[in-house]
Amino acid sequence: MSSARLKLPRATYRIQFRSGFTLRSAINLIPYLSELGISHLYASPLLLAMFGSTHGYDVFDFEQLDPDLGTEEDLEELAKTLHKNNMGLVLDIVPNHMGIGGSQNRWWWDVLKHGQKSQFAPYFDIDWKSPDPRLHGKILAPVLGDRYETVLAKGEIRLDYDEDELILRYHEHTFPVNPNSIEIKEDTIYTINTEPDLLDQLIQKQNYRLTFYEHGPKELNYRRFFNIITLAGVRVEDPQVFKEAHAPIIHWTEKGLIDGLRVDHPDGLRDPEQYLRRLHEVTPNAWIVVEKILEPGEDLPVTWPVDGTTGYDFMNRAQAVFVNAESEQILTDFYGEFTGEPTDYAAIVKEKKQFILEDMLCAEVGRLVDLLIPITANHWRYRDFSRDELREALIELLSCFSVYRTYARAQTRYITETDAAYIVEATKLAKEFRPDLGSEPLDFIASLLLLNLTGDLEQDFVMRFQQLTGPAMAKSVEDTAFYCYNRFVALNEVGGDPSHFGCSVEDFHKASQKALSEWPDAMLGSSTHDTKRSEDVRARLLLLSEIPEKWMETVQRWSKMNEKYRHQQWPDRNAEYLYYQTLVGAWPISFERLYNYMDKAVCESKQHTSWAQRNPEYDDALRAFIKNTFNDAEFIADLENFLQSLVIPGYINSLSQTLLKLTTPGIPDVYQGTELWDNSLVDPDNRRIVDFDLRRSLLNELKTLSIDDICRRYPEGLPKLWLIRQTLGLRAKSPEIFDRNGFYEPIFAQGNKAEHIIAYSRGGSVVVVVPRLIMGLQTEFTSGQNWGDTSLNLPVGQWRNQFTDEVIADETVSISDLFKHFPVALLVRQN
């Protein structure tokens, strides 16, 4: 291992590996990333996943590298090439769940074949003792397109052979046949397939129950990832399961192939801290960050042996400072008037949580109620609660949680004061919302969660409850409310709270200083594979908060222009308002990308159509509306005319946020392709193949271009590429300025536009200056116009602008001069 390699990343670059971009592809990319200033390639999951997966989170085999991505030799060659360039590798890992479709997952296949006798049965979180006698000792398999009896009568389930193994085949679904359930003789298969009674008898002897897919949400008896039945929860709390699920990761780390780990969805685990301690023990030198969603005011548990989160918390505070908070009420009122939708975001989230818990996560709620019943039998004070009372109290309490989850460790009776406060707060709210329930059932459940009642069942309930609050929050907020509450969609981002409309410069500085003192090595993100919109789409949309009157007039004009394209009031005004915001943020965009996004958005909102129950009339009306407006030359001309005043300020917003990411405390991540302007929307749009040939060519061109040339070619994204190259180059040359010892000191501007400036010093050797709320201040990419008497007092010394190479010797610099040749500034103290 090269002695020149960094212990911590300087900057990571996220790559989405897929069949079109393999480990060999990444090897060819290393010289480009090295020149850009990246220290670590940050890889999406590499283990064997579902065929055709574009993300890798549906792992089928924890023990095998995905052959579609490359071989072990390719991985070693990738690491070797990275090391030659003084770079490293960070890997995304998925400990919470596995993909379970077909025979590729040998663990799950063996459990289906042998049931509880399988050596892998303890590896999954399966309830073998379901109250439903039809599920005793069986796994529910809700894959049938109709009721079981109908499907069987039609002959759609067949006994068959697959590679010398007997299977049951239902269209593309296959299931193993327990070898003890059948004796094969001449013509046995033909006879069984022609006699539904015989086939049924065979099916009933299996370790799974085939059933109508609509029964899944209510009857599923294994833990899953959110509401996805093809992703089964894995019991990594079991030491043996942990060992086998991490075998390649441990091996690759010990060999020096991997330097860091990103842990996916730790909140799904039974005991996240226990898991992270084990992970740290087997990878003691790895940089570890966790995909932990922090709600406003929530902190990452300080006892976790990790370096921080993956950066959603930074992303949301970094964009909030570019929101004009004074426009909140006027935009809220207009949203309510135009769409007719409710504007109380907290109430919307509460409503969506209850819907998700009663519908999509009904089986998980039922499993908790199944635990509560015998618990009440053990405590005479609670013995008379009915099942319905417990279920309603449970749903109400779950829906009142303000955070993704708590982290009590029931077996050792450990709970923090902070977690106890969340439980007390949720209980109080539940009582206020549902006084008809009475306080007793809610107090009973709260006593369990606060560890006041003990016992094996009680402990199991607490741990399972904590595993459910996260999915309830994610499905109701990120995957539902974010598509219903379209007041100002730039704020509808993972880890964000759309009801928090902006933050002050002072609050941004305080958060940055806190990050430095508590989590100085956390990842800083701005776009990810999970963000609802790319950083550049959001950067442009944020500008609407600065021109609310013009925006409202424009929306009303567009709505009148396009009224003729609506069909029987479809699409609804809420979708129409989302459509206009999407056009503003992502233009130019193809019809196919735009329609696919809107189709996903309205399905996720679950208001007029959904994935589970499509509404053809609504769907057809939406597609026709988008197609007709997209092809309306007058409307598109009006759209492009409106955008003329937003494009350049949007780019400047993007540069400002990027520079904050690259210089505030933490480790910045660049998501694939976003080193140039990127107008991607939610997945799968943000997982498209990136044109790296173009980026290589442009990066090479930068060497011969002046700063004026770079700025003149701003539509190509050259200023963003230049900013990243120059800033990361400085981080490489002087890492001590930006590490945990590089102090962060706010600097405040003076003059009539002082509130439009964010400035700070790092380590006393660098000064960062970016503009905010710039509509009307910078209508051109450069020139620094309209800043009036606004100025900045610099620390004593001589300073050089890392972007323009200008030298500043004066103690006070005018913002007009500072932004004359480039719209943001990175000043470096000269010796």
Side-chain angles (χ1 to χ4, degrees), residues 167-179:
I167 62 168
L168 289 170
R169 188 185 302 278
Y170 171 71
H171 298 301
E172 73 276 17
H173 301 283
T174 57
F175 295 87
V177 172
N178 186 325

Side-chain angles (χ1 to χ4, degrees), residues 517-811:
S517 66
E518 297 180 359
W519 301 103
D521 302 319
M523 179 181 280
L524 306 178
S526 50
S527 291
T528 76
H529 60 287
D530 274 338
T531 43
K532 305 301 182 185
R533 295 162 189 85
S534 73
E535 58 202 58
D536 295 331
V537 170
R538 300 194 310 271
R540 188 189 293 174
L541 285 173
L542 293 173
L543 299 169
L544 298 180
S545 70
E546 302 184 54
I547 53 168
E549 291 84 4
K550 182 179 180 180
W551 168 241
M552 293 185 296
E553 291 170 2
T554 301
V555 169
Q556 290 170 329
R557 184 174 65 253
W558 290 347
S559 186
K560 290 178 182 178
M561 293 173 66
N562 296 327
E563 180 65 27
K564 59 182 176 290
Y565 298 131
R566 297 176 76 211
H567 177 69
Q568 296 181 355
Q569 304 305 306
W570 296 137
D572 58 298
R573 294 296 188 195
N574 201 24
E576 184 180 3
Y577 195 52
L578 172 63
Y579 176 60
Y580 295 145
Q581 290 182 76
T582 304
L583 283 171
V584 168
W587 192 263
I589 186 173
S590 68
F591 168 78
E592 289 75 16
R593 287 180 55 215
L594 183 62
Y595 169 71
N596 288 338
Y597 168 77
M598 287 299 300
D599 183 53
K600 176 170 181 172
V602 295
C603 284
E604 295 286 10
S605 77
K606 308 167 189 69
Q607 291 181 303
H608 305 288
T609 190
S610 67
W611 300 121
Q613 193 169 3
R614 298 306 299 249
N615 180 345
E617 183 180 0
Y618 180 89
D619 296 341
D620 292 345
L622 176 68
R623 183 178 180 87
F625 181 82
I626 296 172
K627 184 175 182 180
N628 288 328
T629 56
F630 197 85
N631 292 329
D632 187 319
E634 181 185 4
F635 169 64
I636 296 302
D638 198 315
L639 168 68
E640 293 181 337
N641 181 62
F642 175 74
L643 286 173
Q644 283 184 3
S645 64
L646 299 182
V647 171
I648 289 177
Y651 288 154
I652 295 175
N653 264 2
S654 173
L655 294 179
S656 295
Q657 291 188 62
T658 302
L659 186 55
L660 295 183
K661 178 179 70 174
L662 299 181
T663 58
T664 54
I667 310 298
D669 173 58
V670 179
Y671 183 70
Q672 61 174 30
T674 61
E675 62 268 40
L676 299 182
W677 312 131
D678 176 72
N679 68 342
S680 294
L681 298 169
V682 75
D683 67 277
D685 192 60
N686 59 12
R687 299 171 185 174
R688 290 168 292 147
I689 293 293
V690 175
D691 186 349
F692 284 114
D693 289 338
L694 170 65
R695 285 158 176 78
R696 284 192 191 93
S697 175
L698 291 177
L699 184 62
N700 191 53
E701 271 196 82
L702 286 180
K703 301 172 185 176
T704 62
L705 297 178
S706 69
I707 189 62
D708 291 337
D709 292 333
I710 290 170
C711 289
R712 273 193 293 269
R713 292 174 59 180
Y714 71 83
E716 299 174 66
L718 284 179
K720 192 176 185 184
L721 190 67
W722 174 251
L723 181 150
I724 293 172
R725 177 184 182 272
Q726 291 300 100
T727 307
L728 294 185
L730 177 61
R731 288 189 69 130
K733 180 181 178 182
S734 305
E736 72 284 351
I737 296 175
F738 301 96
D739 65 18
R740 62 177 58 220
N741 297 313
F743 64 82
Y744 179 104
E745 183 176 350
I747 303 175
F748 294 97
Q750 299 83 38
N752 59 1
K753 303 295 182 183
E755 71 274 13
H756 294 266
I757 292 295
I758 306 170
Y760 51 87
S761 170
R762 291 300 314 273
S765 300
V766 160
V767 171
V768 176
V769 190
V770 303
R772 64 185 286 267
L773 308 182
I774 59 173
M775 291 296 288
L777 290 177
Q778 288 207 214
T779 56
E780 298 178 16
F781 198 78
T782 57
S783 79
Q785 60 182 344
N786 299 329
W787 284 100
D789 65 349
T790 310
S791 63
L792 199 70
N793 289 334
L794 298 174
V796 177
Q798 191 175 73
W799 301 85
R800 182 183 59 82
N801 191 322
Q802 182 77 353
F803 303 134
T804 66
D805 213 30
E806 296 170 287
V807 175
I808 301 171
D810 296 334
E811 186 175 330

Side-chain angles (χ1 to χ4, degrees), residues 273-293:
E273 182 168 335
Q274 177 200 63
Y275 167 81
L276 293 169
R277 289 194 177 283
R278 285 179 178 163
L279 184 65
H280 178 69
E281 287 172 4
V282 296
T283 59
N285 298 316
W287 177 65
I288 299 176
V289 290
V290 289
E291 187 210 21
K292 167 60 188 167
I293 308 301

Side-chain angles (χ1 to χ4, degrees), residues 123 167 292 349 397 412 425 427 443 466 495 543 779 790 813:
Y123 288 34
I167 62 168
K292 167 60 188 167
V349 170
L397 191 56
T412 57
E425 174 196 37
T427 306
D443 287 336
Q466 293 182 136
L543 299 169
T779 56
T790 310
V813 59

